[in-house]
Structures are given as C-alpha cells and as structure tokens.
Amino acid sequence: MTAAFGVNFAAGALFPFLAAEHGWSAAMLGAVAGLNTALTGLLQPLVGRAVDAWGARRVLLTGMASLAAAQLLLSLTSQLWQFVLAYGVLGAAGFAASSTPPVSALVSRWFPRRKATALTVITAGINLGQLLVVPAAAFLAGAEGVPMTYTVLGTGAAVLVVPLLLAIPTEPPAASTPAGSAPAAPAPSAPAEVAGEATRSGSLTLTITFGLHALPLYMVMLALPQYAIDHGATPAAGGNLPALAAAASLTSMIATGVLLRRAAPRSLLYALHALRTLALLLLAFAPGPAVILAGTLLFGLSSFATIPLTVAALTAKTPASRLGRSMARAWLVHQSAAALGVAAGGAVHAWTGSYTPLLAGIAAAPLLALVMLLRNRSADSHDGAVTGPAPTQTSDTPVPDLPTSLTTKGMS
C-alpha cells in the first residue's frame, strides 16, 4: 500500500516540474490525472473478477509490475501523448491492480474475525506513502530531474516490492461462506428474509456513502496548497498542507484501530462524517491561514480512516470467494466520485478563480452521508451494534451488516 499509493501520489508532486520542463499546462496535467483516476475506478470490476478467479496475490504482483513499468516508461517520455499512455493508462491499470481492493481482499481472507482492525492497519500505508515517497520524489526531482525520479520510483517498486509480494504466504482458500459463519439454511425463515432485506439496504447505503466520501477527497488534497496561498499563506506553507493532512490521517488510523476495541465500526463512521463536514465548512469560510490549517488537520483526521471501516462493513458477510467482486463495485463508485470531484474542482476554479464555492457546496457530501447512515440504523439493530451483544449464530439468525466479532468486542 505504501509503495502503490506513494508512487501514484508522487505524480502530483512532479506536475510542476513537468510543466516547467515540457510546457504542459496545469489544465492538461489535471485532465490526465482525471483520466488516471477515472480509469482506475472503471477497471475495478475486472480487477475484482481477477482477484476471485486467480487470487489477490497474483493480481497484486501483476499490478506492481505494471506500475513499475509505467514509471520506467515515464522516465523516457517527452511528448504529451506518451505521458497520457504511460501515466494515464498503464499507470492507472497498475494502480487499480495493486491498491486497496486486492490488498483488502487478501487481508480480509487472512483476518476474517478482525477485519476492520486489519484493514485499518494496512490502509495506514496510504498515509505512509504520502509522507515518505511523495516528499522524497519532489526532492529528487529538484536535485536530479524528473527522468531520474521516475527511474528511481520504477526501480524501487520492482526491486523492493515485487520480491516482498513473492514472499507473502499463499492466501487461504476462498470458501463459499464467510469464515466463522454457519452455513446458510436451505429455506430461510421470515425473520431471516427481513434481515436480508435490511442487509441489502445497508449495503446500498454504505456504497453510496463511500462515493460521497470520495467526492471531496482528492479534490481537496490537490486544491489545498493553492487555496492556502490565495488566503495569504506562503508557497512553502501551502505546499506542506497535504503532508500535514497525511500525518493527521495516519494519527486517525492508529486511533481508529484502538477505538475498534470498544466501539462499533458504524459508530466511528458517524463521527468521521460529522468531523469531515466541519472540516470542509472551516476551509470554505476560513478568514486566513490559521483556520485553513485547522481545517486541513480536521480533514486529514476524518478522511482515510473512513475507508477500512466502510469496506469492513460492506464485506462483513460476503463469501470469501466473492470478496474481489464485492469490493470492486464499491471502489468503482468511490473512484468515479473522486474523478468527478477532481474535474469539478478544476472547472469551478477556472470559472470563478476560487475554490471557496466548491468547498462550501461539497460540505454537503459528508453531511448527506451521515444522514443516510443514521437513517439506516436498522441494520445496526440486526447485528447488536447498538442494542447489545449479537445473538448466537443459528440457521435463522438475522444476517448482520457488520462483523459481530468487531461490533461487540469491548462493549460489555
């Protein structure tokens, strides 16, 4: 995760150097970044099917090899069309096959009873990539140039990550029912059918809220430096804001892992969406750099920790043999929404000369997600996350929407 997201996020840090070296405009580079994000989402159904058919380990190896090859090709590019193919297409394919969905499927099969905690740990790799790889890439580009930076990124991904993936033990066999669950009864009772309807409704709600979470995610991270400069911050201070947000997000990941011992994942989602709404409103109506800094830290705290909690909830009762396809649907929505947010950010800024209108409007996304989750609390009543410990699993026990081993742990 650290390598895949670090290499992918490093592209944004290299854009200013590419613009200076080749004369490519910010709009051109932004369009290619939008293509990369959109294609990553559109490829998720194929990635999901490949994970279920061939195993997450093989898909990850293919993805990292493709991502490394894309970086090495980028070191040789001099024309915009070459950059589009290497970064916008091949880089997107490699990232789609080496990022969160296949890693989540692999970890979910390893740790079926502690899924949310395990996903929180591995998702922290996103922030480590931002904190370690991105600044190193920007420093190297300034010192040695963009071609050398891409060469180091590609070589590092191939030399360090691919052997590590080869050493990973083979994933457990994909069973037809979730690990730790009793086989389904051939003819479910009426209460079980009601619970199934609640579970399907809860899954749809979680998928929609996952998209609402993604809508401002990349757009805000890309806009923060310029937005801070527009409000009186120095270029150096503005450039440091994404790293501060990543550090806050890493802190949030650690805290989430601890809180999962005593709190239900869905309860933490309520808090994260509420905090994110506040962060976007602070950013939108910030009178100066100090408030922007506060909004940035709150945005970081409430951003990436949402991912493992939502994925764990969505796949709580998904058979191991269908984890890839189940995650693919959610990530298709997530990445499509993220690409829409990036495109909207560029368009609004080009039209108004400011990110303020978009930040004010997009604050409605996490607020709507919070309202949808609260209205769908009936799913919680089926798993005991609110009312108490879950009942013993039997053939006609309602199917929970969240892992009972996580939602009830520490609640007594």
Side-chain angles (χ1 to χ4, degrees):
M1 291 284 281
T2 299
F5 275 89
V7 169
N8 195 61
F9 282 144
L14 299 180
F15 280 178
F17 298 96
L18 290 169
E21 183 174 331
H22 299 293
W24 299 336
S25 68
M28 291 179 182
L29 292 170
V32 182
L35 170 65
N36 177 281
T37 303
L39 191 56
T40 298
L42 292 173
L43 288 173
Q44 290 308 316
L46 294 177
V47 171
R49 288 184 175 275
V51 166
D52 292 338
W54 303 328
R57 184 169 172 265
R58 293 180 181 177
V59 173
L60 283 168
L61 284 168
T62 303
M64 285 308 304
S66 301
L67 195 59
Q71 305 308 303
L72 295 175
L73 287 175
L74 283 167
S75 69
L76 305 174
T77 59
S78 58
Q79 303 295 321
L80 184 60
W81 68 268
Q82 297 170 338
F83 181 75
V84 170
L85 291 178
Y87 169 63
V89 179
L90 181 59
F95 183 60
S98 61
S99 56
T100 308
V103 174
S104 298
L106 192 62
V107 170
S108 297
R109 289 169 180 168
W110 278 343
F111 306 100
R113 295 185 180 277
R114 295 181 59 84
K115 186 185 298 185
T117 302
L119 289 174
T120 298
V121 173
I122 63 107
T123 307
I126 298 175
N127 306 124
L128 288 175
Q130 290 176 290
L131 291 171
L132 299 177
V133 180
V134 175
F139 173 80
L140 188 60
E144 300 294 337
V146 174
M148 177 58 69
T149 303
Y150 279 129
T151 300
V152 171
L153 289 173
T155 304
V159 172
L160 297 178
V161 180
V162 173
L164 181 62
L165 285 172
L166 288 171
I168 292 177
T170 303
E171 59 194 283
S176 59
T177 57
S181 298
S189 62
E193 291 177 356
V194 173
E197 289 295 330
T199 299
R200 285 188 289 272
S201 174
S203 296
L204 178 60
T205 298
L206 285 165
T207 300
I208 294 173
T209 60
F210 203 37
L212 292 171
H213 159 265
L215 195 60
L217 183 60
Y218 297 152
M219 184 279 291
V220 172
M221 297 296 286
L222 290 171
L224 275 174
Q226 186 60 51
Y227 187 69
I229 293 170
D230 292 343
H231 284 73
T234 65
N240 288 330
L241 289 180
L244 290 174
S249 184
L250 181 59
T251 302
S252 177
M253 290 288 193
I254 297 171
T256 298
V258 174
L259 290 172
L260 279 170
R261 299 175 183 176
R262 296 190 174 276
R266 191 179 287 260
S267 298
L268 297 179
L269 282 174
Y270 298 154
L272 289 170
H273 285 302
L275 191 61
R276 210 155 189 247
T277 303
L278 175 61
L280 289 169
L281 290 174
L282 280 176
L283 288 171
F285 300 105
V291 179
I292 290 179
L293 175 61
T296 298
L297 292 174
L298 290 178
F299 186 80
L301 288 171
S302 58
S303 289
F304 287 100
T306 306
I307 294 175
L309 297 174
T310 306
V311 171
L314 275 168
T315 61
K317 288 299 172 182
T318 300
S321 60
R322 294 185 59 85
L323 275 173
R325 279 166 285 184
S326 178
M327 291 184 183
R329 288 190 291 269
W331 280 98
L332 172 60
V333 173
H334 186 278
Q335 291 300 111
S336 299
L340 177 62
V342 171
V348 170
H349 189 270
W351 181 34
T352 66
S354 172
Y355 286 109
T356 299
L358 185 63
L359 287 169
I362 213 166
L367 181 60
L368 178 58
L370 174 61
V371 171
M372 291 183 67
L373 287 173
L374 289 172
R375 287 177 60 86
N376 195 251
R377 280 181 298 178
S378 60
D380 287 333
S381 65
H382 287 287
D383 66 12
V386 174
T387 60
T392 303
Q393 184 107 7
T394 62
S395 60
D396 60 352
T397 298
V399 179
D401 188 46
L402 294 173
T404 56
S405 58
L406 296 175
T407 56
T408 62
K409 187 173 182 181
M411 295 293 285
S412 57

